Amino acid sequence: MNDDLPISLREPAAEAAEVSRPGAVSLEGMHGSVNVPDSKAGFWPQMRAFFGPAVLVSVAYMDPGNWGTDLQGGAQFKYGLLWVVGLASLMAIFLQVIAARLGIATGRDLAQCCYDWYPKWTRVPNWLLAEIAIIACDLAEVLGGAVALNMLFHIPIFWGVLITGLDVLLLLALQGMGMRMIEAVILLLVATIGICYFAEIFVLPQMRPSFLEMGHAMLTPHLGSSSMIYVAIGIIGATVMPHVLYLHPALVQSRKFQKDEASMRKAVRFNTIDVVINLSAAFLINAAILVLAAIVFYGKTSVTIAGGQVVQFNAATDWIQAANLTLAPLLGKAAASTLFAIALLASGQSATIVGTMAGQVVMEGFMRWRIKPWLRRLITRSLAIIPAAVFIGIRGADNITDLIVLSQVVLALQLPFAMFPLLHLASSRKRMGQWRLGWFLLIAGWGSGLIIASFDFYGLPATLKQAWQVLCGG
C-alpha cells in the first residue's frame, strides 16, 4: 500500500529505500547537485537556483527541426501556419509544466513511473517508441549540422552527414566545460539569431510584416490542403517533443530541495515560471523564423541583400540551405551565412546533448540498462546517420528540408505514447497525492493531448502520402 503513495508523502524509511533501489535516481551525476536556498530567501535568489531545467528543454524547441518546419511553413504558406506555432507552443508550456510537477511530486522521471505503475508488457514497446522519437530528432540534428558545415566550409552535404558522427568527441570535450557554460554559449548564439530577426522585423522598412495580416492569421486557424496539414503536424512534432516529456521530470530533480509542503510548493512554483519564460522565448524565435521566411520567400523569386546584390531562388529551393537569406537584408550574404551556420550548428549540438540525456533516462527508466553516455551517443547518432546518408546518396542534397520535416512528423506521431501516460499519472491522486493536477492544468493538459491526437489522426492520410513522396520522390 505504501508503495502506491508519491515519494513526498511516504515515511522517511520508505523514501530512503526507494532512492536506493537500482535505477531509482534519474541522471545520477546531476541528481540533487544544485543547492537551493530555504523558503525564507527572497524571490530572486530562489529563482536563480531553480532556473535552468527549462533552458535545456527550450533549446530542444529551437533545434534544426524547428527551423526546418518554420522555414517551410513560411515559404509555402506565408502566415497561414503562424497559429500552429502559437498553439503548439502554448500546449508545450502546459505539458512541460505538468512534466516538471510529476518529477517534483514523485521523485521519479516519466519512464520510471511507467515502469513502476504500468503492466510489464508495456515497458519494451514504450522504450522502443521513445527511442524512435530520439533517433528521429537526431536525424534533424544530423542534417542541420551537415548544412551548417556546408555553409561554413563548403563541405558537400553527404560528407557533412558522415562527419557529424564525430560529434561524440565534441560532446566529451564540451562536458568538461560544465553544463551551465555549454548552455550559456549556445543560448548566446541562438539569442543573437533571435535579435537579428527581430531587428529585421521591427527596424528594416522593407522587411516589416503586416501585423494586421499576422494577427488575422493567428485568430483564423485553417488548414487548406494536405501539404499544409503535413507541415502543421511537423511544427507540432518539432515543438512538443516526446523525449523531452521523459527528460524534464528528471531535470527538475537536479535541484536539492526538501520534501516538506512549503519547499515542494516553492519548487512547483519556480519550475512553472522557468518553463513559461523559456518556452515563451522559444515561441518568439520560432514565430520570427516563420515570419521572415514568409517575407523573404513566399511568392518571390529573388531577394535583395545588403549592398544591393540580388539572389535568385525558385519553388524547388531547399529552404534550410537558403535560410541565411532571411538575415542577408540586414547583415549581407557572407555575414548572414556565417552567423546562421554557427547558430544552426550550435543549436544542433545543444539538442544533441538533450537527446543523449533523454536517451539515458528512457533506457534506464524502462529497461534498467546503464551504458556510458558517449557509447549511448555513438549508437543513436549512427542510427540517424544511416538513413540520412542513404537518402542523400539516392535523392541528392536538394531535399534536406523535406527530410527534416518528415522527421518532425514522426515525432508528432510518437507524442501520444508519452503524453497520455504523463497526463494519466499526473491526474492521479493515488500517484501524486495533494500535488495532482488542479482543474486548470487538468483541462489544459488533457485538452492539449486531445488536440494533438486529433491532428495526428486527421492528418494521417496526408502524412502517409507526403512521407511516400519525400522518401520515393513520387
Side-chain angles (χ1 to χ4, degrees), residues 306-381:
Q309 181 184 355
V310 177
V311 178
Q312 303 289 331
F313 52 84
N314 54 53
T317 299
D318 191 37
W319 300 119
I320 198 163
Q321 295 189 61
N324 60 298
L325 296 178
T326 59
L327 291 174
L330 180 69
L331 301 174
K333 187 175 181 181
S337 181
T338 300
L339 177 61
F340 187 88
I342 291 173
L344 184 63
L345 191 62
S347 69
Q349 289 304 313
S350 178
T352 286
I353 294 171
V354 173
T356 301
M357 295 168 67
Q360 181 182 344
V361 165
V362 299
M363 182 177 285
E364 293 178 4
F366 280 123
M367 305 305 293
R368 297 296 191 251
W369 296 343
R370 289 180 181 269
I371 63 174
K372 294 185 180 297
W374 69 266
L375 180 58
R376 161 83 217 183
R377 179 80 210 109
L378 186 61
I379 294 170
T380 304
R381 179 48 56 103

Side-chain angles (χ1 to χ4, degrees), residues 124-204:
V124 172
N126 279 334
W127 171 63
L128 290 175
L129 288 168
E131 293 288 1
I132 290 171
I134 293 168
I135 292 168
C137 183
D138 208 49
L139 177 60
E141 325 309 355
V142 165
L143 296 169
V147 170
L149 291 173
N150 178 261
M151 288 181 180
L152 288 171
F153 307 113
H154 306 293
I155 297 172
I157 298 292
F158 179 82
W159 295 108
V161 165
L162 299 182
I163 289 171
T164 59
L166 300 176
D167 80 342
V168 65
L169 303 176
L170 179 61
L171 179 63
L172 292 174
L174 290 175
Q175 283 178 331
M177 297 171 58
M179 189 59 68
R180 285 187 178 273
M181 179 60 72
I182 295 169
E183 293 305 328
V185 171
I186 292 167
L187 282 178
L188 177 63
L189 290 167
V190 176
T192 302
I193 284 281
I195 291 169
C196 290
Y197 278 142
F198 284 109
E200 283 193 322
I201 290 173
F202 292 104
V203 175
L204 293 185

Side-chain angles (χ1 to χ4, degrees), residues 23-68:
V25 176
S26 303
L27 300 175
E28 189 172 5
M30 297 174 59
H31 190 92
S33 60
V34 179
N35 291 319
V36 298
D38 61 41
S39 56
K40 296 180 181 178
F43 175 86
W44 291 112
Q46 294 184 72
M47 187 70 250
R48 191 161 52 247
F50 280 102
F51 192 83
V55 171
L56 285 166
V57 169
S58 68
V59 166
Y61 293 163
M62 294 181 285
D63 73 335
N66 290 86
W67 296 18

